[in-house]
Amino acid sequence: MESKHDLLKKYGFRNYPFPISPVEEPVIWADLRRVKEKLEQFFLFVLSVPVSASALLWGWRGAGKTYSMNYFTKIQQIEELLKKRRIALVMIRLPISIYITTESYKALYFSIIDVLRANLKQLFSEVSESFKGKFPTIGTLKRRFKSELKHFTRNETIQNVISEWFESMIFNRRRNEEEAVKILKLKTRKKIFTEDDIQNIVSTLFNFIVYSKTLRDFIGKRIKIILWLDEWECIKDIRVMEYRKINDFLRYLIDYVPSDFVLLINVTLRPDEESADIPGYFTHQLLNRIGQFIEFPPLTADDAFQYVFERINHSLVDKSKGCYPFTEESIKVAIKILMATNRPILPRDLNRVFSTLLFEAFYENKDKIDSSFVRKKANIIKVFL
């Protein structure tokens, strides 16, 4: 948009300081520092011990849950921890689209298979040819895998399909690999698997990935799986049967994947809800198994100021300009107007308010946004809450 480009140029920004949607490359924590510390402690714990773990991240819309998800699903953010503990991470981050289909349970399962497939192909691309050379005959590695899979399921068909899938991925036999995925995703004419097999398939897959000695030797490190679901509040909009299936599926994984599996769920409460309303989003069987609750609280005035100041300064080409074109006082005045509404103040609210103020000043050709300008726009500010 040309006007945005002109705005950046006029005020000396290298990028726009107030994006409304959560950015894919989050770098500013400001008000979220305490939450970031909690998440870092959580990841430090789950990467230090082999036991499985789970956590619920909750708060109101715009509080920073997806922002945090974008940050911690970037492997480089925890790279040092992974390197120190010789861990390979399989990060399964699921899209909101799983909730907007008539068969949400299957959509969840298919997404897990797709993301898992991409992660494993990346891991297997790093395997040395010398290791592959230990299994020169087709089927040799598959038989090794199958002997390990017997520890996790009695279903021989699941053993055969998973072992074929993994051998085909490792040796890049595309046709065999695609056929195995079709079977796993219930897309073959002959019903080899049905919806009733999904829990068994996924728990077997996860256990095999984290326990297999062959895979560990193959990759040279332990594998840990993180399954992170965003926008969980949308689950209230799906059919009751699908809601129960998904809750039961996640409960099953917590119960039957005891090592190196981490489940994270983001849930956004409505403005009129509080923590006591969280049980309404889950079956009690699943909620009772979640190990940790991490709150994304509304901001204090000091936190809000720090957030806005850092967003502006980070985006300026010349950092010595502080919070230009705003002044520290004008930022505080805008926040004071917001706080006077007695509504929770969240990062996304601040982005909307200060984005509007910035464009209003730009269209009025203001070189500086001072306190008097902000007071004149008080009614516009209140619209956002």
Side-chain angles (χ1 to χ4, degrees):
M1 187 169 66
E2 190 174 343
S3 59
K4 182 179 279 190
H5 174 76
D6 291 340
L7 182 150
L8 297 180
K9 186 176 179 181
K10 177 179 175 65
Y11 295 122
F13 292 124
R14 56 188 175 85
N15 49 46
Y16 193 62
F18 301 113
I20 304 305
S21 299
V23 294
E24 283 296 320
E25 293 290 345
V27 290
I28 301 166
W29 284 87
D31 62 292
L32 295 173
R33 281 205 181 97
R34 286 185 291 277
V35 173
K36 180 172 181 275
E37 286 171 5
K38 285 183 184 177
L39 285 170
E40 284 175 337
Q41 289 169 5
F42 178 78
F43 276 101
L44 178 62
F45 168 73
V46 299
L47 293 176
S48 300
V49 297
V51 296
S52 293
S54 57
L56 172 65
L57 285 63
W58 71 276
W60 291 270
R61 187 164 300 281
K65 298 177 299 300
T66 302
Y67 188 92
S68 300
M69 186 179 188
N70 288 343
Y71 181 85
F72 281 103
T73 51
K74 304 293 182 187
I75 299 299
Q76 62 265 33
Q77 312 302 354
I78 46 179
E79 197 166 16
E80 286 304 313
L81 282 173
L82 296 173
K83 193 181 296 182
K84 187 176 179 181
R85 288 164 176 77
R86 295 189 61 78
I87 294 172
L89 201 60
V90 172
M91 185 74 77
I92 305 173
R93 174 182 167 180
L94 297 186
I96 189 174
S97 58
I98 64 173
Y99 306 110
I100 51 178
T101 173
T102 55
E103 296 185 304
S104 296
Y105 178 46
K106 282 186 181 178
L108 170 69
Y109 168 60
F110 295 159
S111 295
I112 288 173
I113 294 296
D114 288 339
V115 180
L116 190 60
R117 183 186 191 189
N119 272 261
L120 291 172
K121 283 187 173 182
Q122 177 62 37
L123 280 177
F124 294 159
S125 68
E126 301 167 8
V127 173
S128 67
E129 291 299 321
S130 61
F131 191 94
K132 293 180 183 180
K134 296 178 181 179
F135 305 94
T137 308
I138 292 177
T140 308
L141 184 56
K142 177 182 173 180
R143 287 191 292 275
R144 172 81 71 86
F145 285 153
K146 187 175 177 181
S147 68
E148 294 179 327
L149 282 159
K150 288 177 180 177
H151 297 290
F152 312 119
T153 181
R154 296 178 181 177
N155 187 315
E156 288 196 24
T157 308
I158 293 177
Q159 296 171 16
N160 285 328
V161 174
I162 293 177
S163 56
E164 174 66 38
W165 184 32
F166 275 61
E167 185 184 66
S168 299
M169 274 194 288
I170 289 166
F171 288 99
N172 201 26
R173 292 198 287 269
R174 190 170 299 174
R175 180 180 288 184
N176 295 42
E177 196 264 333
E178 288 177 352
E179 184 59 32
V181 171
K182 275 186 184 178
I183 295 171
L184 288 169
K185 294 180 74 173
L186 321 179
K187 292 184 177 180
T188 51
R189 289 183 181 178
K190 184 181 177 183
K191 294 296 180 185
I192 298 172
F193 293 132
T194 68
E195 193 177 283
D196 294 335
D197 295 306
I198 288 175
Q199 289 185 354
N200 194 0
I201 291 170
V202 177
S203 63
T204 300
L205 266 170
F206 283 9
N207 279 314
F208 173 61
I209 289 168
V210 301
Y211 279 114
S212 169
K213 184 179 183 304
T214 306
L215 283 180
R216 189 174 298 190
D217 292 344
F218 203 31
I219 295 165
K221 55 185 83 169
R222 194 171 98 233
I223 303 175
K224 186 174 283 285
I225 299 170
I226 296 179
L227 174 59
W228 201 331
L229 289 86
D230 200 11
E231 311 281 0
W232 180 263
E233 65 279 3
C234 296
I235 203 163
K236 279 192 171 182
D237 299 327
I238 69 176
R239 292 185 300 164
V240 174
M241 185 60 73
E242 297 295 303
Y243 164 88
R244 294 202 65 84
K245 285 178 185 175
I246 291 176
N247 272 265
D248 191 51
F249 169 72
L250 297 176
R251 175 201 60 77
Y252 187 91
L253 291 183
I254 291 173
D255 286 350
Y256 289 96
V257 187
S259 290
D260 288 313
F261 168 60
V262 181
L263 173 65
L264 296 169
I265 300 175
N266 292 351
V267 64
T268 298
L269 303 184
R270 296 194 304 265
D272 59 335
E273 291 181 324
E274 53 190 36
S275 59
D277 296 296
I278 289 175
Y281 291 91
F282 300 86
T283 61
H284 73 271
Q285 293 93 337
L286 175 57
L287 190 64
N288 290 344
R289 286 167 169 79
I290 293 175
Q292 190 166 343
F293 291 72
I294 299 174
E295 179 187 1
F296 284 67
L299 310 182
T300 64
D302 289 341
D303 286 340
F305 173 81
Q306 184 182 11
Y307 175 81
V308 174
F309 187 97
E310 288 191 20
R311 286 220 69 93
I312 295 170
N313 190 256
H314 176 76
S315 298
L316 284 170
V317 174
D318 183 357
K319 308 293 184 195
S320 68
K321 289 186 175 182
C323 54
Y324 178 82
F326 291 87
T327 65
E328 291 191 15
E329 184 59 29
S330 67
I331 293 174
K332 289 175 181 177
V333 168
I335 291 169
K336 188 175 180 180
I337 293 170
L338 283 170
M339 300 295 281
T341 64
N342 294 319
R343 296 283 297 276
I345 307 301
L346 303 168
R348 196 174 299 171
D349 299 325
L350 294 171
N351 283 1
R352 286 173 175 157
V353 166
F354 282 89
S355 179
T356 300
L357 289 172
L358 196 54
F359 268 99
E360 288 282 320
F362 172 69
Y363 290 133
E364 294 182 24
N365 200 27
K366 297 282 186 182
D367 290 326
K368 182 181 283 190
I369 303 173
D370 58 18
S371 301
S372 62
F373 178 83
V374 171
R375 289 191 182 96
K376 287 177 186 176
K377 305 295 178 180
N379 288 334
I380 294 176
I381 293 172
K382 292 174 184 176
V383 166
F384 290 96
L385 289 177

